[in-house]
Amino acid sequence: MFNRTRCLQITAALASISLLAGCGLLSDDSGDQAKRIVVGTTSAPSTLDPAAAWDGSWELYRNIYQTLLAFPTGSTKPQPDAAQSCDFTDSANESYRCTLRKGLKFSNGEPLDSKAVKHSLDRIMTINSQVGPKGLFASLEKIETPDPLTVVFHLNTPDATFPFVLGSPAASLVPPKEYPANKVRSDGKATGSGPYVLTSYAENSEAVLGRNGSYQGFANRRNDGVTIRYFGKSDAMVAALKSKEIDATYRGLSAPEIRDLQSTASHNAGVQVVENVGAEIRYLVFNPKDPQVAKLPVRQAIAQVVDRGALVTKVYQGTAEPLYSMVPKGVVGHKTPFYDLYGQPDVAKAKKLLTAANIPVPVDLTFWYTTDRYGGSTADEFTELKRQLDESGLFRITLRNKPWKDFQVGYKNGEYPVFGRGWFPDFPDPDNFIAPFVGKDNAVGTPYEPTEILNDLLPKSRREGDRSAGVKEFETAQQIFAQDVRLLPLWQGKLYVGAREDIAGAERALDPQTAMQMWELYRKTSW
């Protein structure tokens, strides 16, 4: 039996959209739910310590660490998790108080109290990892702990998005005895208070999760444990799914592989595909340290030449759509400023830009991408970008790549003139598609400090508790992005989970950060 849904459930749960529930794919709660589930992914953690990762490592963190707030399936706003309650205590949104649940413990027996919360967040700022989540806590001034159950966050500026940050894996809580205050934990282990404990871990190979017996939180675990297998190549992951070595796949499927899994042959082999609308985006980053990239007409000419329609048609075959803003469709305030400013691809207009600036052609540039983070289609994507730019006669592109661990160090050190990145939302708010990309210490490692965005638009929007009230500010910020072309949005993707036909819960398993909530998966034994 094969049961596939095209319901397009909005698991990203972004602010302007309400969750569409009731797709009904294998949602019967009957049957044996206690068997272990094996999930495959191409997105292995870069580290087990949440103070040093702002990337796909969050997938694992969501399942083993707890946060004060979280996003249960269907929620568009952060809800209490380790906290019993959290609220702003002032009208300016500058003081935020959380009261913890009583009796919380980490899996090693340490109490999860206010001092542990303070330790967990303070160490992020102290360690200040180049690839860590410190940038998300820019508004945090200090933390007070008046009693064991009370934490007060004092902000240096009004910030209505702060509760969303506390609900992301960036704010994962860790026990002080096992996580040093001034350095990253390096023993290859992880200890949290989340739904699962990490019982064993082999880097780039496997993470074995078992139920956390002391867990208190919102997650309703529907299995006894999960094994996550990390694949270097997506074709090996798909083969493992077909041969029943794994039960489900997520992250890294190429467009041809998705089409294959949706085929009649795969249906007959007992494979299902769950398709969701997502907020995953891909984009290019331009590093002004490079003398050619520093020239605005060069960046504008690239924006004028790139054909997103051809890119998504040739490479992604209907599994993605062109994107003309860093704020994707489905997110409040989404506009299309790159289309409005540059229109359809036009080589003649691009040449005119370069000629007017006395820039000789072809312009030589090196484009970098990672080989093992965003799936098997990444190389094809950059090959197509190179083809388009080379054939214009205006550019001569050299392609280079590295595995993710090395790649992220390189871009943070400013080594790449142009490079490709992907973005999955840290939290469901349009702020998260603007703020991470601006400032001296931003998420892409290339300082970009547009005065109006930093000093006016973001501060004004963050004073609004009603997040839809900042639409005008976000629209203006998108226009500035298009004018500066420090980032070039390329496409917005859908989310796909491939699974054996006896696996249920896949339609509920993706949270607003598009991380897999492993506790939602279970095995049906009756049909």
Side-chain angles (χ1 to χ4, degrees), residues 288-358:
K289 287 185 178 180
D290 180 85
Q292 294 283 37
V293 174
K295 302 169 185 175
L296 177 59
V298 169
R299 305 195 303 269
Q300 291 175 326
I302 293 173
Q304 191 67 73
V305 170
V306 168
D307 188 339
R308 296 169 177 80
L311 178 67
V312 299
T313 298
K314 292 181 179 181
V315 178
Y316 291 100
Q317 304 173 23
T319 63
E321 58 182 316
L323 181 64
Y324 297 95
S325 171
M326 291 298 288
V327 179
K329 286 183 179 180
V331 180
V332 64
H334 164 76
K335 293 292 182 181
T336 56
F338 279 85
Y339 187 86
D340 300 339
L341 191 57
Y342 302 101
Q344 293 290 341
D346 193 319
V347 173
K349 288 183 179 179
K351 184 176 182 180
K352 188 175 181 180
L353 286 166
L354 296 174
T355 301
N358 296 315

Side-chain angles (χ1 to χ4, degrees), residues 365-476:
L365 290 172
T366 300
F367 281 28
W368 286 82
Y369 64 92
T370 182
T371 57
D372 58 351
R373 174 60 45 171
Y374 304 124
S377 296
T378 305
D380 294 335
E381 175 180 336
F382 276 78
T383 298
E384 172 61 16
L385 289 171
K386 171 181 167 60
R387 183 197 68 77
Q388 293 181 12
L389 293 166
D390 285 355
E391 288 187 1
S392 74
L394 305 177
F395 299 93
R396 187 162 47 215
I397 305 300
T398 299
L399 298 181
R400 294 285 185 267
N401 61 68
K402 285 183 178 181
W404 176 250
K405 269 200 169 183
D406 298 326
F407 178 81
Q408 65 174 341
V409 173
Y411 77 69
K412 280 291 186 179
N413 288 334
E415 297 173 7
Y416 311 145
V418 184
F419 58 96
R421 284 293 312 274
W423 188 252
F424 306 93
D426 298 318
F427 52 84
D429 190 276
D431 183 285
N432 195 234
F433 293 92
I434 301 292
F437 306 107
V438 296
K440 184 178 180 180
D441 299 313
N442 61 46
V444 294
T446 55
Y448 173 39
E449 301 178 81
T451 303
E452 185 177 1
I453 294 178
L454 288 169
N455 297 341
D456 180 29
L457 301 176
L458 285 177
K460 186 175 180 180
S461 71
R462 288 174 174 177
R463 295 187 190 102
E464 300 289 349
D466 177 2
R467 301 306 297 144
S468 63
V471 168
K472 183 178 180 181
E473 286 73 35
F474 292 123
E475 290 177 352
T476 302

